[in-house]
Amino acid sequence: MAEKNNPEYDFKWCPGCGDFGVKKALEAAIKKKTIETEEPILNNVVIAGIGCSGNMVHLLEGEQPYGFHGLHGRTLPVAMGLKSSRPDLNVIVVAGDGDFLSIGAEHIAPQAKRNLDVCVVIMDNAVYGLTKGQSSPTSEEGMITSSTPYGKTEQGFDPLAYYLSLGISFVASGLSSKIKDLSELIYEGMIHPGFSIVHVQSPCTEYNNTYEILKGSPKKGIEPLAKPIDESHNPNDLKQAMEIVDTSNIPLGILYQSKVQPTLTQRFEDLTNKSKQKDIESLLKSYSV
Amino acid sequence: MKNTDFVVRFAGEGGQGFLSAAIGFASANTKAGYHAQTFATFPSQITGGPTWMQTRISIDPVLSRGDEVDVLVVFNEYAYETHKNEVKENGFILYDSDQLNIEPSEKVLGIAFEKLAKTTGNARAANMVMMGALAELVGVNLSVLEDFVKERWGDTSRYGEQIVPQNIAALKLGSNEVQDRGFKLAEIEPAKPLNTSQIFLNGNEAISLGAYSAGVEFYVGYPISPATTILIWMEKNLVEKNKFVHQVSSEIEAITAIIGASYGGKKSMTATAGPGFSLMSEGLGLAWMAEIPIVVVDVQRGGPATGLPTKTEQSDLLSSITPAHGDVSLPVVAPGTVEECFYATIEAFNWAEKYQGPVILLSEHGLAERQQNIPKPDINSLKIENRIINQSTDNYYRYESQGISPMPIPGSPGPYVANASEHDKMGDTTHLPERHIEMTERRFKKLEILKDSKYEYINSKSEIILMPWGGSKGPGFEAFEKLQEKNIDIGWAYTMFLNPLPEKLLIELQSKKLVIVPELNYLGQFSSLLRSQGVNAKSITQYTGLPFKVQYLVDQITELSSKR
Ligand SMILES: Cc1ncc(C[n+]2csc(CCOP(=O)(O)OP(=O)(O)O)c2C)c(N)n1
Ligand code: SF4
Ligand SMILES: [Mg+2]
């Protein structure tokens, strides 16, 4: 199937939504991957969460990859089932901060410990967009939202520090408006052999417009919150990565990458080398009276 | 007169080692051509606790665990007090006089199993003394057990040379002790020759073998009684190239992971029970909505919530059909015997691949924990269905047409979005009323192709039909035979395919005056399902955590059918 043109599909992102930039970056990254690896676009699968962000899978333009738009919070298990049974595919997860870090949070640690070889792109707007502006794990403490009219009574969650603490083998941070940089991060995440997360600041213009804080405004004398990681940073150095997350607001770039952990696929392959090949007749025979 | 079957119950404290002896006794008898079925009930604790296991041996295939006990073997006071009243009038109680003391009578005999075993030089042969005593009591030729010992330890054990003669000596000691004291039940008739070779296994093993035969390629699961042993089987036997098996972090992960794998083209399965099945609801809805073939085994246990993890019940039927919110009607296949566990699993895979959606294989604790001999399946005669995969390269739409459409597989032509939201033909989300109508009807119409399944129908002219389901089939059929002996006019209907029901059978049932459904739940779930389909059905319910006794069914059915 070439270009998609579907008059029935009725979801639209709001004007200025950060997810537009993420979409362009993802399209470019997939394109680059198909060119570099000479693999067909059909080998790519985009698994989407439920939220404004998850609609990405229907909005991608150009040659279409496969897509999966399932349940709120369950992108990773679907990705795990798909990738572990079809290691030949390039599996990409796209989800929001609520989907990934709240209802789906239980799935992150297990995949980290298995080093599931998929690339996750999180669109963090620190709010629940699709359900119209409730607080999310990454909303700051005290933030006023429709579900926290007197201010949020939980601490804001720091996803980057969390990912690093889990030993996720590729952790990067991006900004939706820096499309070229972001596309490069996603590409690097996709070719990284193991679990990779590209955590993107993707502002919600409707319920939590953070563009100005993130990018700063010289006119108003506002310092940008999001700044590139110093070039001297060695991404193989976990301690340094943790320090960066501790000391800066929103660091942009690759924070950490480890290529030494085996992937889930490799771990399972090791098992198949240990186990004896079975067949149904010998299995049945083992129960003979 | 000789016996055609007998029941031995072993009761004591978990961990006393008599469970393996009970299974061994059953297994030994199957080697001699008898039929055997074990039934066990355990406490939920890991070691200890009151435990009992029952073994029924027969010259014919065993349908139920047996209502009454011919020989009760007890290992402590509590077991004696709890079980003594279930011994038949002419039965015996054999007790371990190393452990307890009971007033002797012509019914009760004590043997110091371990003390006697020590005289062979092996105190661990205590079970053998017990089995030898049993064999003499029930009239099983001692050579049956001797052969079993030789086979079990002769070749495989490092110490076989020592253990085999010790164990055989122990068997003799037990047997002599009983003979000397003159205790004896009637002799059992010789075994009938079998024309197929037999295997001896439990329901979960039969399900695992069935899945393997059906070509399962992907299995993940989370430990939960009584389904855990399927996970363990798979972890042992499915580690192969191009397959995948893993213990995952929850039932939520399990169900969604098998959906991901099946979307990728692999035959996928998970098994769970009780609370785990509840957690899979949303995922089952997803598989129905996105039209993804999967098999989910629910090995039913007792009660809602955490319930009765180690007891049997048939109370998940309605939630299997509609586990999820919204309009769903999931296909359900429920095996009734260990043998059917094997074939039902293959049918469940065939159904899933044929209609492209989730299928529930509804087993139960009573089948999972039961060891039984069954004819060894003939693998070459099995019919295995495989998915129809899209090959067309030009503008193919996954969800086009009313009916089954070939499934595109990632990596091959026909990309689409597998969508849990209501969608159009290419899988994009839509809210148009006409699309929701079209797609809802599409999903339900696919069930039509599942309505030509097999069923049993005996004495079909009768106006009253007995129709149990699942594990109540065995005691149900035994009751049916007893009713026929009593010349009560009653018919028999049975199928593993509970949703959708075989169409022809349903039409038959709709014309009957009364359909009686024995089932292990409070609500009368199957009869209410039948009533919703125009059948005048009435349940005989039981919710004790135990299977039906045959006599109870005979009484209840007699009463129900005479009222009319
Ligand atoms: C089990 C379940 N609970 C709740 C919802 C409702 N819901 C849909 S999207 C959403 C939150 C979306 O927030 P986020 O993941 O941050 O995505 P965004 O819309 O911000 O991109 C919720 C709560 C749901 N679909 N499923
Ligand atoms: S509500 Fe927010 S996140 Fe959703 S589309 Fe609009 S701007 Fe984007
Ligand atoms: Mg959000």
Side-chain angles (χ1 to χ4, degrees), chain B residues 4 136 151 199 217 239 251 260 342 345 378 451 549 555:
Chain B
T4 53
E136 176 61 25
E151 204 180 305
I199 55 176
E217 295 164 291
V239 179
E251 287 84 354
F342 178 84
T345 309
D378 173 11
K451 289 184 176 170
K549 286 189 171 179
D555 296 344

Side-chain angles (χ1 to χ4, degrees), chain A residues 96-98 123 125-129:
Chain A
D97 46 315
M123 285 156 267
N125 49 17
V127 77
Y128 285 12

Side-chain angles (χ1 to χ4, degrees), chain B residues 155-341:
Chain B
D155 300 330
T156 53
S157 168
R158 263 202 299 160
Y159 307 106
E161 264 177 53
Q162 223 178 325
I163 292 178
V164 171
Q166 283 170 343
N167 279 344
I168 288 179
L171 287 171
K172 288 217 172 89
L173 283 173
S175 154
N176 289 345
E177 190 73 19
V178 173
Q179 212 172 21
D180 290 350
R181 299 209 229 159
F183 285 83
K184 183 123 198 149
L185 208 72
E187 197 88 12
I188 180 130
E189 276 184 25
K192 297 176 182 170
L194 291 165
N195 45 15
T196 45
S197 53
Q198 304 281 304
I199 55 176
F200 184 69
L201 71 178
N202 66 37
N204 280 357
E205 288 167 335
I207 286 174
S208 304
L209 287 164
Y212 197 93
S213 309
V216 66
E217 295 164 291
F218 186 90
Y219 183 98
V220 293
Y222 189 78
I224 187 165
S225 293
T228 311
T229 48
I230 299 177
L231 170 66
I232 291 170
W233 195 99
M234 292 293 169
E235 285 281 7
K236 191 166 165 218
N237 296 312
L238 206 65
V239 179
E240 288 177 11
K241 294 231 152 42
N242 299 319
K243 301 201 174 159
F244 188 83
V245 53
H246 202 73
Q247 175 183 330
V248 291
S249 63
S250 71
E251 287 84 354
I252 292 179
E253 189 180 15
I255 181 86
T256 28
I258 67 168
I259 291 169
S262 177
Y263 165 80
K266 302 289 182 176
K267 282 193 178 178
S268 306
M269 176 171 117
T270 185
T272 187
F277 189 63
S278 295
L279 285 183
M280 291 187 181
S281 299
E282 200 189 14
L284 287 166
L286 159 62
W288 167 264
M289 195 69 170
E291 301 188 30
I292 296 180
I294 52 168
V295 173
V296 173
V297 184
D298 174 15
V299 190
Q300 295 165 97
R301 60 194 224 176
T306 307
L308 293 159
T310 57
K311 301 283 171 203
T312 205
E313 206 162 272
Q314 301 179 291
S315 49
D316 292 355
L317 174 59
L318 293 180
S319 58
S320 292
I321 296 170
T322 52
H325 57 277
D327 270 333
V328 300
S329 179
L330 301 197
V332 176
V333 187
T337 62
V338 171
E339 186 175 12
E340 285 180 6
C341 282

Side-chain angles (χ1 to χ4, degrees), chain A residues 19 50-54 72 95-100 103 123 125 127-131 134 136, chain B residues 282:
Chain A
D19 297 350
I50 301 295
C52 295
S53 41
H72 191 36
D97 46 315
D99 187 286
F100 197 65
I103 191 168
M123 285 156 267
N125 49 17
V127 77
Y128 285 12
L130 193 64
T131 46
Q134 296 78 29
S136 98
Chain B
E282 200 189 14

